[in-house]
Amino acid sequence: MTGEGHKAFSEESMLDILTCKLLRAIGSKIGRGSSLPGLVCKKIWPKSLRTLKLPDKVIAVTGSNGKTSTVALLCNIAEKAGLKVVSNREGSNQTEGVVTALLSSADPRTRKVDADVVILESDERFCQYTFREFTPSHILITNLFRDQLTRNGHREFVKGELQKGIPDGTVLILNANEPLSCSYGSGREGTVYYGVSAPELREDPGLEHAYDDGAYCPVCGRKMEYDFRISGHVGSFECRKCGYRTPRTAHSVTKAANGKFVIDSTWEIRPQIFNEAYAQNISAAFTTAVEAMGVDPSVAAEALDGLELDNGRVVEFRIGGHSGRFMLCKHENSMAYNAAISTALSDPSEAVTVVFIVDRLSRKYVANDMSWLWDIDFHRLADDKVRKIILSGGFAHDAAERLLVGGVPEEKLIIEPDLDRMMDDVAERSEGYIYAMTCFTDQYKFLDRLKKYSDPSESDSKQGGKTE
Ligand SMILES: [Zn+2]
């Protein structure tokens, strides 16, 4: 904090914080408690974050996938370890969300944020604006995937944008298995890596991918080799030309069996979701807690074991006599859908039905680019275990075309663009356990309609009560 900065804030040093607290109280009543206060305060006092007194540990989490879950896991570990946490975990991950979280938890007189640790989710393209105002002690970067093409362009572009938001002196925590984001650590001392090496989570080496973002080395552009892959371009990689390869990890998920992950061959964790994407989230949270927050590994493992996040990302339900599970995915991105497909295929029952809804791509912008459908390994749904695939929403026929080209037998498909009629199909024509997947843009089109089908004989806990 500079003397000039302090002077500039001496008069309004209370006003920005008090205004934020007031707006947050009002905003929470109209559902805008996380972004509106920050938006207003940022306009009036654009530099007020610079004069806040933050704790030593300020951990930012960014990347294409897994931010929200990893932040939630981290907050749970920190709280279990007895640390006081300030986070934007339930709010906006753009600059205004960070302003709201920090200002509203600061003391108006001392400008001190009342926390032992600050844990912030940040949109990967907003880091360059947010971290101009303060320097996080650590930035965890989960991965860089093709994501929201119409907004983000290609992932190499996002890599450059995020690079502008990484301050000197911040310690990076990187996914050792994702080559593009991992390359931020090249030549950067003190970087911490986490990974997943469990043999059970490795892909069948014969699996064909819809696309391969791991084909070429992100450092020198030559062909890259893999010892194994976990999902798409995530795996154990090596460029024989320049030597860029999966670095040594501080911590890793070394085993995944019987619904449990084992970290460092020692710590057993029963995860809420058993798939390759969640294994990466667990590894990221464990490593960050231990290496950045100084939490004892046994405390971190205990906090993660059996932890069920209550954020609506997984909802168990009953419909037409079938049990099912809703899994929140992300349109315009392959990772969550590929992981949800893995979960469906590893279901212990003989038969499963998959429900896939694409009605609208985004709440924020109008787009009809469906190229991302071709990035997801939908051809895996040709597996005999998958008996029916119900496709719905405005883009149901685009989805059907994608599956048919991928070799999924036509007789498995039920194409019903109308969402109400789709629900009747789910109730009447499903076989076995149901996996329903869609994006947050479309999730309530399914979850709200589900309420009409609730079986009065079922308890509340089976009607969507269990959430991630
Ligand atoms: Zn190379």
Side-chain angles (χ1 to χ4, degrees):
M1 183 173 71
T2 64
E4 199 186 336
H6 182 71
K7 198 175 165 195
F9 273 85
S10 57
E11 284 167 23
E12 73 250 329
S13 62
M14 285 196 183
L15 261 188
D16 56 345
I17 293 171
L18 293 174
T19 305
C20 191
K21 286 178 192 275
L22 179 69
L23 287 175
R24 186 163 196 180
I26 299 168
S28 61
K29 294 201 190 331
I30 56 167
R32 292 207 61 193
S34 76
S35 60
L36 182 73
L39 201 65
V40 173
C41 292
K42 195 158 72 79
K43 269 246 159 13
I44 306 174
W45 301 283
K47 300 197 188 304
S48 73
L49 282 188
R50 295 188 184 189
T51 59
L52 282 184
K53 290 178 190 142
L54 296 168
D56 292 342
K57 306 283 186 197
V58 177
I59 294 160
V61 180
T62 190
S64 307
N65 299 282
K67 293 185 283 284
T68 307
S69 295
T70 306
V71 163
L73 295 172
L74 266 177
C75 288
N76 273 279
I77 300 173
E79 281 158 3
K80 182 96 180 174
L83 300 173
K84 182 155 190 190
V85 179
V86 162
S87 174
N88 61 343
R89 73 180 111 171
E90 274 137 23
S92 156
N93 68 7
Q94 300 184 353
T95 310
E96 55 266 26
V98 174
V99 172
T100 305
L102 294 180
L103 281 187
S104 65
S105 47
D107 182 305
R109 283 168 296 114
T110 62
R111 299 193 66 77
K112 198 170 166 222
V113 173
D114 183 22
D116 299 312
V117 58
V118 170
I119 302 172
L120 298 169
E121 175 179 336
S122 178
D123 181 278
E124 35 309 2
R125 287 179 56 192
F126 276 79
C127 291
Q128 58 187 299
Y129 308 111
T130 308
F131 305 143
R132 209 184 271 166
E133 306 304 316
F134 62 92
T135 301
S137 59
H138 298 79
I139 300 182
L140 161 62
I141 303 172
T142 56
N143 52 60
L144 288 172
F145 267 63
R146 299 183 190 204
D147 180 45
Q148 295 181 278
L149 183 73
T150 38
R151 172 178 169 254
N152 285 331
H154 56 84
R155 60 195 201 114
E156 286 78 8
F157 168 72
V158 177
K159 189 194 171 203
E161 290 298 291
L162 173 53
Q163 179 84 59
K164 296 178 201 165
I166 302 176
D168 294 338
T170 290
V171 175
L172 294 184
I173 301 167
L174 302 175
N175 184 342
N177 298 117
E178 197 283 289
L180 189 61
S181 60
C182 184
S183 68
Y184 284 124
S186 294
R188 194 173 172 110
E189 269 184 47
T191 301
V192 177
Y193 298 94
Y194 67 91
V196 172
S197 57
E200 302 86 352
L201 292 175
R202 295 176 191 178
E203 280 180 2
D204 175 348
L207 178 68
E208 278 185 38
H209 288 287
Y211 71 99
D212 185 5
D213 271 333
Y216 300 102
C217 171
V219 176
C220 75
R222 303 301 170 92
K223 198 145 174 49
M224 204 151 63
E225 314 278 337
Y226 277 81
D227 283 343
F228 62 82
R229 293 184 188 234
I230 297 158
S231 172
H233 68 286
V234 175
S236 177
F237 58 86
E238 180 176 10
C239 168
R240 301 240 162 96
K241 183 77 187 170
C242 74
Y244 176 55
R245 55 176 302 172
T246 295
R248 241 180 113 86
T249 54
H251 304 283
S252 178
V253 171
T254 49
K255 188 173 164 62
N258 307 319
K260 286 181 192 164
F261 295 147
V262 181
I263 297 180
D264 299 344
S265 308
T266 306
W267 313 103
E268 276 194 4
I269 285 159
R270 286 163 299 149
Q272 184 174 19
I273 305 170
F274 188 78
N275 65 30
E276 67 276 11
Y278 208 68
Q280 291 171 64
N281 295 342
I282 290 277
S283 185
F286 182 89
T287 302
T288 305
V290 173
E291 301 300 322
M293 299 184 338
V295 174
D296 189 89
S298 64
V299 174
E302 199 188 320
L304 291 171
D305 186 30
L307 177 61
E308 302 220 339
L309 300 176
D310 185 20
N311 59 10
R313 297 198 156 214
V314 176
V315 179
E316 310 283 341
F317 62 83
R318 294 271 307 167
I319 184 168
H322 297 269
S323 293
R325 181 177 237 219
F326 169 81
M327 300 184 78
L328 188 65
C329 295
K330 196 174 172 192
H331 293 340
E332 303 179 89
N333 182 309
S334 62
M335 192 177 187
Y337 279 116
N338 278 336
I341 290 169
S342 295
T343 304
L345 294 178
S346 65
D347 190 283
S349 47
E350 258 176 45
V352 300
T353 290
V354 171
V355 180
F356 176 46
I357 300 161
V358 196
D359 193 50
R360 188 163 176 185
L361 290 196
S362 168
R363 289 176 294 191
K364 288 188 179 162
Y365 56 91
V366 177
N368 57 8
D369 166 59
M370 299 304 290
S371 63
W372 57 278
L373 280 180
W374 301 82
D375 297 341
I376 299 166
D377 295 332
F378 279 119
H379 49 280
R380 295 163 70 203
L381 295 177
D383 192 290
D384 288 343
K385 180 188 292 219
V386 181
R387 303 291 167 83
K388 289 276 180 263
I389 303 167
I390 300 172
L391 304 168
S392 190
F395 294 100
H397 287 283
D398 297 72
E401 184 66 15
R402 167 69 188 93
L403 268 65
L404 290 172
V405 171
V408 176
E410 193 168 2
E411 57 270 22
K412 285 190 184 184
L413 302 188
I414 297 170
I415 308 163
E416 180 48 84
D418 182 84
L419 295 159
D420 290 319
R421 286 201 292 269
M422 173 267 294
M423 292 306 288
D424 289 337
D425 285 333
V426 175
E428 291 158 18
R429 299 174 70 185
S430 292
E431 287 184 35
Y433 196 88
I434 301 166
Y435 284 91
M437 45 191 87
T438 190
C439 182
F440 44 80
T441 316
D442 290 334
Q443 65 175 320
Y444 292 107
K445 295 172 188 172
F446 180 77
L447 293 173
D448 286 348
R449 284 176 172 83
L450 201 55
K451 290 172 192 157
K452 285 193 215 153
Y453 292 82
S454 48
D455 180 343
S457 67
E458 299 291 338
S459 70
D460 282 341
S461 66
K462 287 187 178 170
Q463 293 168 18
K466 186 184 161 201
T467 54
E468 186 186 355

